[in-house]
Amino acid sequence: MKTIKIITAAASIAILGFTSCQSDDNTEIGTNPNANYSTSTTASNYERAAMNDGSDDDFLDGNACTELLFPLTATVNNQQITLLSSLDFSSVINIMSEFNDDSDSVTFNFPIRVRTSNYTEVTVNNQSELDALNQECENAEAQGKDAISCVDINFPVTMLTYDISLEQTGSVVLQSEQQLYSYMTGLESDELFAVNYPISATLSNGTEIQITSDAEFQNAISECMQYEDEKEDAANTAAEVEAVLSGTKFKVETFINDGVDTANDYAEWSLEFTNDLKIVATNVVNSALGEIEGTYSVSSETEAFVNVNFASNTALSALGNNWVISTYSTTLITLQSKTDASVTLAFKKL
């Protein structure tokens, strides 16, 4: 999950629906210490937080800087599908998740339309043009011009306006991210502003916070971006562990509960993790015992998890748990119970 968006070379969107008025409210004329220039860190923070978010469809276009517009048609893993709205994303995800050891492919039926980070709508005529947008997105991230999508400002927000002498010239009420983005990118060098705090914002973890200063907004951004980095790291871990497990046979190397290692109870069993999220356990000593089938799934939040499930009346039911991935390699995966850190399990590749 990426959290970047790009400022493209297209012209800024005009500010629509702003209200401006001369006012002495909430400030002392000529003495506001929080007035910011267009080149200030605060201006950059609000501009980046207000960019159009194109990250929800990254699993299709691989580009957090562009929002795909509907309708569009694409071929996903050799299956053609027409998307009329974001509600159709689930159909694409179902196709992609059918097997976990294949390489998912998406081919668009061009032309398609996208909305960029500065709210400009662009027609993309072929894969080369889409690749160029993806490269712009990567360049923006490398240059520190990426957007901040982990803080959603709750509108309306009022900006108090000043001249270079710090004399208040009025106020502007902004009703949306697009208006905020246009305001920030339209500031002239002799125009200053101060945010009329407090404002509220919703973080990507669902927490709503009150912000009372530019410094608090900067802190909120730093904290939520760290949270997003943790989520991305966990998602990468989950993907890598799923690739290690899929289509491979393992044995129980250790299973420690209450300080006792009971791995010997499972020494006769091999466990194959199939590419359709099943576990097929086979007794390698006594074939008459047949096979025991369970399921597994790999997921992530700010940690990565492997959920293992066997029916309660089987020889392997005790392995069922939601396990936190502790360490992993191509041959050994160590896990810890999500609810009891003293319970650990390790799978070793056969």
Side-chain angles (χ1 to χ4, degrees):
M1 163 183 0
K2 296 183 180 178
T3 58
I4 63 170
K5 292 173 274 184
I6 187 173
I7 307 173
T8 64
S12 298
I13 304 296
I15 300 175
L16 301 176
F18 291 180
T19 58
S20 180
C21 59
Q22 192 77 23
S23 172
D24 296 340
D25 295 340
N26 304 305
T27 185
E28 296 179 30
I29 290 190
T31 61
N32 193 309
N34 295 315
N36 297 282
Y37 284 93
S38 61
T39 55
S40 66
T41 298
T42 297
S44 175
N45 285 341
Y46 277 97
E47 177 183 331
R48 293 169 62 199
M51 291 179 185
N52 183 50
D53 185 2
S55 60
D56 288 347
D57 52 28
D58 284 2
F59 63 95
L60 275 170
D61 65 359
N63 187 342
C65 307
T66 57
E67 173 192 1
L68 295 169
L69 300 179
F70 304 104
L72 64 89
T73 300
T75 301
V76 181
N77 293 354
N78 298 317
Q79 298 185 50
Q80 183 168 293
I81 183 168
T82 296
L83 293 83
L84 302 178
S85 73
S86 59
L87 296 176
D88 294 318
F89 285 167
S90 59
S91 298
V92 177
I93 293 171
N94 287 339
I95 293 172
M96 290 181 165
S97 60
E98 185 176 3
F99 302 103
N100 63 4
D101 63 348
D102 59 346
S103 297
D104 295 315
S105 63
V106 177
T107 304
F108 291 105
N109 289 17
F110 294 102
I112 61 173
R113 293 181 306 121
V114 302
R115 183 177 292 117
T116 64
S117 293
N118 69 357
Y119 297 91
T120 300
E121 293 189 11
V122 176
T123 297
V124 182
N125 295 296
N126 51 54
Q127 186 62 45
S128 294
E129 292 182 5
L130 187 60
D131 291 342
L133 287 176
N134 291 347
Q135 186 60 56
E136 287 182 31
C137 191
E138 293 177 8
N139 293 343
E141 181 179 14
Q143 296 167 10
K145 297 179 180 179
D146 50 322
I148 301 164
S149 59
C150 59
V151 176
D152 285 333
I153 297 168
N154 299 325
F155 293 91
V157 170
T158 299
M159 297 293 177
L160 307 175
T161 60
Y162 297 84
D163 60 24
I164 57 175
S165 300
L166 291 182
E167 295 291 335
Q168 186 176 348
T169 58
S171 62
V172 178
V173 179
L174 308 172
Q175 301 286 354
S176 67
E177 286 186 342
Q178 184 171 355
Q179 288 187 359
L180 176 58
Y181 177 80
S182 297
Y183 176 78
M184 289 299 165
T185 56
L187 284 170
E188 301 292 341
S189 59
D190 59 349
E191 295 177 322
L192 284 72
F193 73 93
V195 182
N196 189 20
Y197 294 108
I199 65 172
S200 67
T202 304
L203 305 181
S204 54
N205 64 4
T207 303
E208 184 167 320
I209 60 172
Q210 293 292 313
I211 300 170
T212 61
S213 67
D214 294 342
E216 284 189 13
F217 188 51
Q218 175 66 62
N219 290 339
I221 289 171
S222 298
E223 290 175 6
C224 80
M225 291 184 75
Q226 180 179 349
Y227 171 78
E228 290 297 306
D229 288 343
E230 291 172 357
K231 284 179 61 178
E232 186 168 359
D233 289 343
N236 290 336
T237 294
E240 290 170 3
V241 168
E242 188 170 36
V244 171
L245 288 172
S246 181
T248 306
K249 292 182 179 181
F250 289 82
K251 69 173 183 177
V252 175
E253 179 72 359
T254 61
F255 184 27
I256 299 174
N257 195 342
D258 291 330
V260 178
D261 188 352
T262 59
N264 282 339
D265 294 346
Y266 308 93
E268 297 178 356
W269 294 91
S270 72
L271 292 84
E272 180 182 4
F273 292 77
T274 69
N275 68 354
D276 56 352
L277 301 178
K278 294 182 176 64
I279 305 174
V280 179
T282 305
N283 192 294
V284 297
V285 175
N286 186 357
S287 60
L289 294 177
E291 295 179 343
I292 298 175
E293 189 171 291
T295 60
Y296 76 100
S297 61
V298 185
S299 61
S300 66
E301 295 168 5
T302 53
E303 294 179 297
F305 308 98
V306 178
N307 181 273
V308 174
N309 184 58
F310 286 99
S312 59
N313 59 345
T314 70
L316 301 171
S317 58
L319 300 180
N321 206 329
N322 197 15
W323 300 99
V324 179
I325 299 169
S326 299
T327 62
Y328 66 97
S329 68
T330 57
T331 58
L332 184 68
I333 298 171
T334 63
L335 309 167
Q336 183 181 74
S337 171
K338 184 178 180 181
T339 56
D340 185 349
S342 68
V343 181
T344 64
L345 172 66
F347 291 125
K348 186 173 182 179
K349 184 179 179 180
L350 289 172

